[in-house]
Amino acid sequence: MNHDNFFFKHYGLTQADLPRYLAAALSAGGDYADLYFEYLSSTSLSVDESMVKSASQGISAGCGVRVVSGERTGYAYTDDLSPERILHAARTAALIASGPAKTPAVGFQQKPARSLYPVSLPSVDAEITAKVELVMRVDAAARAYDPRIKEVRASYADELRNILVVTSDGTIAEDSQPLARLNASCIAKGEQQSGRGSAGGGGRVALDFFFGEKTPEHFAKEAARQAILQLDAREAPAGEMEVVLGPGWPGVLLHEAVGHGLEADFNRKKTSAFAGLVGRRVASEKCTVVDNGTMPWRRGSLNVDDEGQPTQETVLIENGILKGYLSDKLSAKLMGISDTGNGRRESYEHIPMPRMTNTYMLPGQDDPEDIIRSVKHGVYAVNFGGGQVDITNGKFVFSASEAYMIENGKITAPIKGATLIGNGPDVLTRVSMVGHDLQLDEGVGTCGKDGQAVPVGVGIPTIKVDRLTVGGTARKDSGGFMQ
Amino acid sequence: MSEIQTETTQLETRNPKLESDLRELAQDMVRRAMAGGATAAEAVVREGDEFSTVVRLGQVETLKESGSRAIGVRVFFGKRAASTYSSDFSRAGLDRMLKSALELAKITSEDPFGGIPEVSQLGSLKGDLDLYHEDVYSLPGTQRIEYARRAEKAALDFDPRIKNSEGGSFDAATGRKVLANSHGFVGEYRRSYCSVAAIPIAQDEKGGMQRDYWFSVARNLGRLDPPEQVGRIAAERTIRRLGARKAKTSHVPVIFDPMVAASILEHIFEGVNGDSVYRGASFLAGKLGQKIAGENVTVIDDGTMPGGFGTSPFDGEGIPTRRKLVIENGVLKSYLLNTYTAKKLGLETTANASRGLAGTPGIGPGNYFLQPGTKTPKEIIGDVKEGLYVTEFLGHGANLVTGDYSRGASGLWISGGELTYPVEEITVAGNLKEMFFHISEIANDLEFRGAVASPTIRIDGLTVGGE
């Protein structure tokens, strides 16, 4: 183990402490125990009415101790990293088991380290004035876009999470995970209608990302464009119809419709609509969906997951056939499947569970323009708010924030925001065209499960779903959305 | 049966010295910020304990028990402000927190409306608000697990079609909050909470699965519903969803049960939130004194109700909480404000400041509710020939700027005044600006299961999207 590990250096933790803590965790038996040390430092800034109204910084640190005995998990944590408090947490977590003490493995193996997000200067340590410049530039660019943009809010947030994971089966892993995000949100006022738009992005990147690849002006213009567009939006239709999803963030469809349902914990417990469907067709043969935690710089990527396991690319659906699940250690062991490195947690206060990283559909053969041309009457949805799924009955929603009518093969009028609703296990069987234009989102996704939030990514090429329910307000016979 | 012994995990008895230390600590942080050049300062300290357990298919699945604390400061240099927080209470940790706050305030903008409240506004409600009961932790560990087990068992035993479960659970938590500022205010309160829940899963002969849940939550153990009752209701709610189908796209009366109605009421809260109002980001901005809903609609926010889930003796800025009419007979009477948004709008604060550890204070509800009517939910359903009874929303499709509203839903179809078959994979859509004028019925079944509560309501003029 590297002696300049963060926790060794700053908290006086030593190599010799680790087996002692694990032994306390296994003092009442149990199959497995782990320690998760976390030190999180964060900054946030926001601009409203062209003023930097809020600036904050914070530090949170702690250690979580988990003991697993069969299907049972005991968990305790402390925000005080003194040996007494860690031992106390370990003994509390130990109470899940009841039996003779077990001895943790002697000597730790460090997993081969990846370096998906090497930053020389983490953004949390960068000059605050540069971050102020970013939010002020968002504000200026959004206001300059159109005089009808009346309100602009810009925010910037970054963090650096140092983790150390130590397990009773002899794994030790450390990582330093940067994360930064810049966001713009705008309100436009027209004579008749108002509109709002928001855009943002980032990833596990250094501050220079926002001065080069994705500038404040890029996000500002995108948010302003969406807000202005809504000023002319018509009522959205209601009912089943053809739906074309644009590339990128509309990949939230995959996250909700299939991603959550394929998390191994739900399948181990047989509470998911996808339980028992491995090897069966769950999508058209044009669909191949993967979860990939190894993409450099991406918001959903991790060198190792929060159980110390290296992340990987996992094929979930291949040419329409369900191939497997996303697992953490517990599910992998209990189901006899491999650990895909998807064990994640919000913080040291939380028990890890299977979570997505970056989830996307591989590109197909179709030309995006041909896809639009093939639709007689339908909706083209290019931007979304969030979504939600009931993994047991498979029903999912995702809310379009920018969408258009397609009439006779042509994109016509913008329509108001509407929720799209479908059934996870069969929505992808109705995907009849897949574009060659795969895009990933710009780095805005945060996924919630059991009250735990973790950053994720999504992506999708342009696709056509032959039938999906659109939740608008227009009466079909009113012609309200005709040109 | 579980052999787990958790009696020994009772949290260590509180150290009285440490308790006064936290109060002293908050005041000390304020003093030191002022000594460092701040013109005003505020410190908040939070301390909490949590216990939770899940029992699934009769076996303990998780057991979690811990405590934590954190401190945050907000400093002003004239009209510039910044805030920092830390979970590290060491001398070095606190020094660093304070130093960063003082430095960070240099880069923020002069905001003429910034500042902490006036001395005359500060204070705390007197008397026992019935918020804290140590009995949430009085049960021995095995009994807590029993609560979770009993709730799940009642659900599993209710009907043979309940074949699986995400478990029964029991949670307990206590929290303490101390707030101090440079006007000499120092206040604190404790709150406790416990809950029991069940999430059963039912399966029909075709293999179709449905899940639903029910829970009881209270500030003390004695007021918690019996776990058997929670499990039984959870099972009833789950069983009635089996065999759900889509509905036809239509325009029919929609009745919302109290849980989903509360979520609709939250949109009014977001709409009267001073932060959205001054930015023009709300469909209710500029509507003070105007009719925004039907005559039958009266909405109240009351942070003073003893035992309430939204009750506290003072708000996030140290101002005593109060009761106010938000909407009276359809007329918008009050926005909900903190000190900053009140100044921006030229109004008085309504003591709705909510304060996290970091950042500027936000706005939160007290006990916020729609005044109940006189009809029973059954009578209201009985008046509907064809309609939809919504029991669950999926997603968050409300645009507060435009009022556009579109959400995924499931529930039961109403035919001839009776609840008939279950429906799912449908949407309910309309516009918030009109929806509150079309609340045609309000039932008498108001019950607080959180800070925001509503009786059953009927809304007309919505679009149900389906086949």
Side-chain angles (χ1 to χ4, degrees):
Chain A
M1 184 69 204
N2 193 337
H3 285 282
D4 34 273
N5 173 274
F6 183 87
F7 298 93
F8 288 18
K9 212 157 73 182
H10 295 279
Y11 284 92
L13 189 70
T14 68
Q15 186 96 30
D17 292 330
L18 304 174
R20 200 154 59 92
Y21 298 156
L22 287 169
L26 292 174
S27 58
D31 308 321
Y32 169 86
D34 60 20
L35 311 170
Y36 177 84
F37 293 89
E38 180 189 33
Y39 180 94
L40 176 71
S41 104
S42 60
T43 314
S44 71
L45 278 177
S46 74
V47 161
D48 176 29
E49 300 184 304
S50 304
M51 289 186 276
V52 181
K53 284 194 188 174
S54 167
S56 67
Q57 286 177 343
I59 300 289
S60 111
C63 175
V65 185
R66 172 172 63 155
V67 178
V68 176
S69 174
E71 295 192 40
R72 300 169 169 187
T73 299
Y75 199 82
Y77 58 84
T78 171
D79 53 24
D80 176 343
L81 293 176
S82 65
E84 308 79 66
R85 300 307 304 173
I86 296 172
L87 283 168
H88 178 75
R91 289 191 199 106
T92 304
L95 293 161
I96 194 72
S98 51
K102 293 253 183 84
T103 316
V106 181
F108 296 105
Q109 284 290 316
Q110 191 153 11
K111 296 265 181 176
R114 254 201 226 101
S115 186
L116 298 171
Y117 27 79
V119 295
S120 50
L121 178 69
S123 56
V124 272
D125 297 327
E127 277 298 323
I128 189 87
T129 48
K131 302 175 193 179
V132 172
E133 181 192 329
L134 292 178
V135 280
M136 292 307 285
R137 278 171 56 185
V138 167
D139 179 78
R143 288 178 193 281
Y145 183 85
D146 190 298
R148 291 170 293 174
I149 296 292
K150 299 299 183 195
E151 292 289 333
V152 178
R153 200 165 259 203
S155 62
Y156 170 84
D158 62 26
E159 63 179 45
L160 182 66
R161 182 186 306 265
N162 284 297
I163 64 161
L164 172 66
V165 187
V166 189
T167 73
S168 65
D169 53 14
T171 299
I172 190 162
E174 58 184 325
D175 198 15
S176 185
Q177 302 162 347
L179 190 67
R181 178 178 165 175
L182 183 61
N183 211 75
S185 73
C186 298
I187 295 171
K189 302 268 181 192
E191 283 170 24
Q192 306 287 325
Q193 294 190 163
S194 299
R196 71 171 182 193
S198 73
R204 301 200 180 278
V205 295
L207 200 62
D208 57 10
F209 175 85
F210 300 105
F211 290 91
E213 285 178 58
K214 297 281 176 175
T215 61
E217 290 72 23
H218 164 77
F219 297 119
K221 283 177 187 163
E222 176 57 19
R225 184 190 63 77
Q226 289 177 25
I228 294 292
L229 187 84
Q230 278 197 354
L231 298 179
D232 297 317
R234 305 176 186 186
E235 276 187 82
E240 289 182 343
M241 61 198 69
E242 290 178 300
V243 173
V244 175
L245 300 179
W249 179 239
V252 69
L253 164 84
L254 304 173
H255 181 98
E256 304 298 353
V258 299
H260 278 298
L262 297 178
E263 289 165 342
D265 48 350
F266 298 131
N267 291 281
R268 171 169 66 83
K269 300 175 194 172
K270 302 201 169 7
T271 61
S272 165
F274 285 94
L277 295 185
V278 170
R280 301 263 291 273
R281 176 164 297 283
V282 295
S284 79
E285 61 184 15
K286 294 192 171 191
C287 298
T288 294
V289 178
V290 301
D291 182 84
N292 185 353
T294 72
M295 308 175 85
W297 314 111
R298 303 232 38 119
R299 184 173 167 85
S301 297
L302 293 169
N303 289 320
V304 290
D305 72 3
D306 295 326
E307 300 181 306
Q309 177 75 13
T311 54
Q312 64 179 52
E313 177 176 349
T314 305
V315 177
L316 298 173
I317 296 169
E318 188 171 32
N319 301 324
I321 305 298
L322 181 62
K323 300 305 274 188
Y325 303 120
L326 296 173
S327 62
D328 61 356
K329 277 195 169 172
L330 181 66
S331 292
K333 181 167 176 241
L334 295 172
M335 294 173 82
I337 59 176
S338 67
D339 180 353
T340 58
N342 288 82
R344 303 183 64 186
R345 55 180 122 200
E346 180 177 308
S347 78
Y348 68 89
E349 296 186 3
H350 298 91
I351 299 173
M353 55 185 161
R355 303 296 295 265
M356 285 172 262
T357 59
N358 304 295
T359 312
Y360 55 94
M361 181 183 286
L362 299 190
Q365 306 290 325
D366 295 304
D367 186 296
E369 289 183 14
D370 289 342
I371 296 178
I372 301 285
R373 267 198 288 273
S374 74
V375 176
K376 194 157 181 302
H377 172 85
V379 164
Y380 177 51
V382 296
N383 265 301
F384 283 85
Q388 199 181 346
V389 62
D390 177 333
I391 51 109
T392 300
N393 65 20
K395 304 300 175 274
F396 70 93
V397 296
F398 57 136
S399 300
S401 56
E402 179 186 353
Y404 305 82
M405 288 308 302
I406 307 176
E407 303 288 334
N408 298 319
K410 288 203 175 69
I411 294 170
T412 57
I415 54 175
K416 293 184 179 192
T419 287
L420 309 188
I421 188 162
N423 182 39
D426 66 34
V427 65
L428 294 186
T429 63
R430 301 200 203 120
V431 172
S432 58
M433 297 177 90
V434 176
H436 52 60
D437 56 342
L438 169 65
Q439 276 181 35
L440 292 157
D441 76 278
E442 295 198 299
V444 290
T446 298
C447 167
K449 174 178 170 183
D450 279 357
Q452 292 196 46
V454 296
V456 295
V458 297
I460 201 165
T462 299
I463 66 164
K464 176 169 137 184
V465 184
D466 286 342
R467 203 169 80 241
L468 198 57
T469 298
V470 178
T473 48
R475 285 167 192 268
K476 250 185 185 163
D477 52 5
S478 72
F481 46 79
M482 298 296 282
Q483 245 186 321
Chain B
M1 286 295 288
S2 157
E3 303 305 322
I4 294 175
Q5 290 165 10
T6 50
E7 285 88 337
T8 52
T9 72
Q10 291 295 317
L11 294 166
E12 293 147 82
T13 40
R14 294 170 192 283
N15 176 344
K17 181 170 179 301
L18 195 66
E19 294 207 4
S20 62
D21 280 354
L22 288 189
R23 201 178 162 97
E24 185 53 43
L25 178 67
Q27 291 175 291
D28 188 46
M29 283 297 117
V30 168
R31 273 193 296 271
R32 287 176 56 198
M34 299 300 280
T39 53
E42 188 182 78
V44 62
V45 185
R46 289 172 155 208
E47 185 184 45
D49 300 316
E50 62 162 320
F51 170 87
S52 68
T53 187
V54 176
V55 171
R56 181 169 172 270
L57 301 179
Q59 296 293 317
V60 174
E61 184 173 76
T62 61
L63 197 57
K64 186 174 171 189
E65 178 155 9
S66 276
S68 63
R69 55 186 192 170
I71 181 167
V73 292
R74 188 162 66 117
V75 301
F76 286 87
F77 277 89
K79 297 293 178 189
R80 298 171 188 270
S83 66
T84 52
Y85 68 93
S86 178
S87 69
D88 179 355
F89 279 53
S90 69
R91 181 81 195 181
L94 295 172
D95 284 352
R96 184 177 43 197
M97 175 184 72
L98 211 51
K99 185 164 166 278
S100 321
L102 295 170
E103 275 175 15
L104 204 53
K106 290 177 191 155
I107 60 98
T108 56
S109 307
E110 294 256 348
D111 186 341
F113 298 99
I116 63 174
E118 302 297 322
V119 178
S120 61
Q121 295 177 297
L122 298 166
S124 181
L125 297 183
K126 300 285 176 279
D128 182 14
L129 289 172
D130 192 20
L131 300 178
Y132 181 71
H133 298 271
E134 276 195 345
D135 79 342
V136 298
Y137 275 123
S138 66
L139 281 179
T142 48
Q143 284 297 311
R144 298 177 191 173
I145 293 165
E146 267 324 288
Y147 258 66
R149 189 194 310 281
R150 283 162 58 193
E152 192 203 36
K153 185 167 190 310
L156 290 170
D157 289 349
F158 180 78
D159 189 295
R161 289 169 294 173
I162 304 278
K163 290 186 172 144
N164 197 350
S165 163
E166 285 195 3
S169 62
F170 176 80
D171 290 69
T174 60
R176 176 177 176 224
K177 184 172 176 177
V178 179
L179 179 74
N181 73 21
S182 54
H183 284 337
F185 176 85
V186 56
E188 69 171 294
Y189 57 88
R190 286 179 188 284
R191 296 200 278 198
S192 59
Y193 149 99
C194 57
S195 72
V196 59
I199 313 178
I201 292 173
Q203 195 164 23
D204 60 25
E205 60 282 3
K206 290 181 201 146
M209 287 195 294
Q210 293 290 348
R211 157 185 89 163
D212 212 312
Y213 71 101
W214 194 243
F215 68 99
S216 171
V217 54
R219 291 219 178 272
N220 69 336
L221 207 56
R223 270 177 255 165
L224 214 52
D225 292 338
E228 285 74 17
Q229 181 183 331
V230 170
R232 182 177 47 76
I233 296 173
E236 284 169 357
R237 288 172 59 93
T238 305
I239 288 290
R240 71 179 178 181
R241 296 178 67 161
L242 281 176
R245 41 184 136 144
K246 284 186 93 160
K248 289 257 181 288
T249 300
S250 55
H251 293 78
V252 290
V254 182
I255 293 172
F256 297 92
D257 86 0
M259 300 280 281
V260 289
S263 138
I264 293 175
L265 195 63
E266 278 176 26
H267 299 310
I268 299 185
F269 170 77
E270 292 159 23
V272 299
N273 178 322
D275 197 53
S276 313
V277 172
Y278 88 75
R279 295 192 302 125
S282 162
F283 66 103
L284 294 175
K287 298 274 174 73
L288 209 56
Q290 295 180 27
K291 275 203 89 95
I292 59 158
E295 283 281 337
N296 58 343
V297 175
T298 292
V299 175
I300 292 162
D301 182 69
D302 184 355
T304 73
M305 289 163 56
F309 294 108
T311 303
S312 59
F314 53 87
D315 78 349
E317 296 179 300
I319 298 177
T321 57
R322 58 199 66 166
R323 175 188 171 93
K324 56 253 151 194
L325 281 166
V326 177
I327 299 172
E328 184 178 30
N329 301 328
V331 177
L332 180 58
K333 303 295 276 191
S334 176
Y335 296 130
L336 295 177
L337 307 168
N338 56 15
T339 298
Y340 181 78
T341 57
K343 283 189 200 167
K344 291 288 284 187
L345 293 164
L347 298 165
E348 286 289 311
T349 177
T350 59
N352 282 90
S354 69
R355 174 82 156 86
L357 285 171
T360 50
I363 291 173
N367 300 289
Y368 174 87
F369 61 98
L370 174 64
Q371 196 139 74
T374 52
K375 283 191 188 172
T376 64
K378 201 171 162 39
E379 285 170 327
I380 291 173
I381 292 165
D383 289 341
V384 176
K385 273 202 189 112
E386 290 292 318
L388 174 65
Y389 179 67
V390 178
T391 57
E392 189 174 87
F393 278 138
L394 206 54
H396 313 276
N399 181 332
L400 270 295
V401 173
T402 61
D404 293 330
Y405 186 81
S406 166
R407 296 184 80 176
S410 59
L412 297 151
W413 195 256
I414 305 171
S415 204
E418 300 278 342
L419 297 176
T420 58
Y421 55 88
V423 290
E424 65 183 5
E425 207 180 329
I426 51 178
T427 56
V428 171
N431 190 292
L432 294 170
K433 289 179 202 166
E434 294 147 21
M435 271 165 68
F436 300 111
F437 283 104
H438 297 143
I439 297 180
S440 53
E441 299 281 6
I442 300 173
N444 61 359
D445 56 343
L446 178 70
E447 187 191 354
F448 281 91
R449 310 180 69 82
V452 178
S454 172
T456 298
I457 57 175
R458 167 178 163 168
I459 302 182
D460 296 332
L462 297 171
T463 304
V464 175
E467 286 175 328

